[in-house]
Amino acid sequence: AQTVTQSQPEMSVQEAETVTLSCTYDTSENNYYLFWYKQPPSRQMILVIRQEAYKQQNATENRFSVNFQKAAKSFSLKISDSQLGDTAMYFCAFMKRSSGGGSNYKLTFGKGTLLTVNP
Amino acid sequence: EAGVTQFPSHSVIEKGQTVTLRCDPISGHDNLYWYRRVMGKEIKFLLHFVKESKQDESGMPNNRFLAERTGGTYSTLKVQPAELEDSGVYFCASSQVLGLAGISYNEQFFGPGTRLTVL
């Protein structure tokens, strides 16, 4: 079974600064995906960024980037130039990479980190 | 295109009563998932439908929970009888299989959740 750990229940950052959210995971799988999801207050959870474990290059999406350390089983999220709209709960999640039909695509989540961006 | 919708957004019931949650996935999405987040804990997988068939129901807590997806469109999750520990936010997500044949990744799109409070 997989586990995902987010050790920072809450964090805050000043607008325009950079913040890094931590995530570690435990798995015996070699092929998998890692995700960061964002849930703004009273809104739906949306995908921020995705990383395939077989890719060494860290994923980047505009101001969001990850630091993926496969050997250390670490997957941190860096938010550059933080904006007020980045205030949200951030969830780190794991999914086994499956092949063939009848695969199970369930996500395993961490407890989340509540990020507040202050003006 | 409409996203995943869930009804109701909030439900407050007495212990022992029955509640039915509904999820309407994105049109054309064969995969439908239910997850639950109990206060302060991780979001946990409950079950996964592929069309109308239950692919994986390993996360269902007990037989007081019944999920259905008749016709492969919307899904319902019934809790009968509800207990105090059932309180939490119930998320639904849907996805369509993407990617090359035999290698699958599917982005899950989440609904806003139903907040269930059992008194």
Side-chain angles (χ1 to χ4, degrees):
Chain A
Q2 286 68 233
T3 59
V4 176
T5 302
Q6 293 178 251
S7 59
Q8 305 151 315
E10 294 186 38
M11 293 189 72
S12 63
V13 64
Q14 292 299 120
E15 197 174 5
E17 293 188 346
T18 295
V19 64
T20 299
L21 309 184
S22 301
C23 173
T24 59
Y25 60 94
D26 190 23
T27 184
S28 58
E29 302 289 333
N30 194 46
N31 294 315
Y32 50 87
Y33 299 98
L34 294 164
F35 307 87
W36 279 97
Y37 281 88
K38 165 187 176 180
Q39 186 179 25
S42 302
R43 292 178 60 186
Q44 285 165 256
M45 192 153 52
I46 57 173
L47 180 65
V48 174
I49 199 165
R50 167 175 61 97
Q51 175 80 41
E52 289 99 337
Y54 66 92
K55 289 187 177 178
Q56 292 187 331
Q57 185 172 4
N58 289 323
T60 299
E61 289 286 342
N62 301 313
R63 298 181 296 105
F64 298 88
S65 62
V66 299
N67 182 4
F68 173 49
Q69 302 289 328
K70 190 172 184 180
K73 296 181 181 173
S74 170
F75 182 61
S76 61
L77 174 70
K78 185 171 83 170
I79 306 174
S80 304
D81 186 26
S82 297
Q83 300 176 0
L84 297 179
D86 295 334
T87 292
M89 181 71 83
Y90 287 81
F91 294 98
C92 179
F94 172 102
M95 179 195 291
K96 277 200 312 185
R97 185 182 180 198
S98 302
S99 59
S103 302
N104 185 346
Y105 301 113
K106 68 182 178 185
L107 288 162
T108 300
F109 287 90
K111 289 185 179 181
T113 296
L114 178 61
L115 176 67
T116 302
V117 180
N118 299 309
Chain B
E1 179 182 315
V4 177
T5 58
Q6 293 186 245
F7 182 83
S9 57
H10 294 84
S11 180
V12 181
I13 60 172
E14 301 276 337
K15 175 183 171 181
Q17 290 186 321
T18 297
V19 63
T20 300
L21 314 181
R22 174 171 170 146
C23 168
D24 286 78
I26 293 172
S27 177
H29 281 193
D30 289 341
N31 292 300
L32 188 149
Y33 312 81
W34 284 98
Y35 294 87
R36 175 175 75 171
R37 185 179 189 220
V38 173
M39 181 67 71
K41 301 252 178 115
E42 299 89 345
I43 299 171
K44 291 210 167 175
F45 168 82
L46 296 178
L47 87 159
H48 170 208
F49 283 100
V50 178
K51 296 185 181 178
E52 67 276 8
S53 299
K54 291 177 185 174
Q55 180 74 21
D56 179 358
E57 50 185 328
S58 62
M60 294 288 263
N62 50 60
N63 59 9
R64 294 185 294 102
F65 289 76
L66 175 64
E68 295 181 320
R69 192 182 181 195
T70 306
T73 54
Y74 71 90
S75 174
T76 57
L77 179 65
K78 181 191 287 188
V79 185
Q80 179 182 31
E83 298 289 345
L84 299 178
E85 64 264 25
D86 300 333
S87 295
V89 181
Y90 290 75
F91 293 100
C92 174
S94 72
S95 72
Q96 187 58 286
V97 176
L98 302 173
L100 300 174
I103 305 295
S104 299
Y105 158 69
N106 60 343
E107 179 177 347
Q108 295 185 23
F109 295 86
F110 282 80
T114 293
R115 181 173 296 278
L116 174 65
T117 302
V118 183
L119 302 176

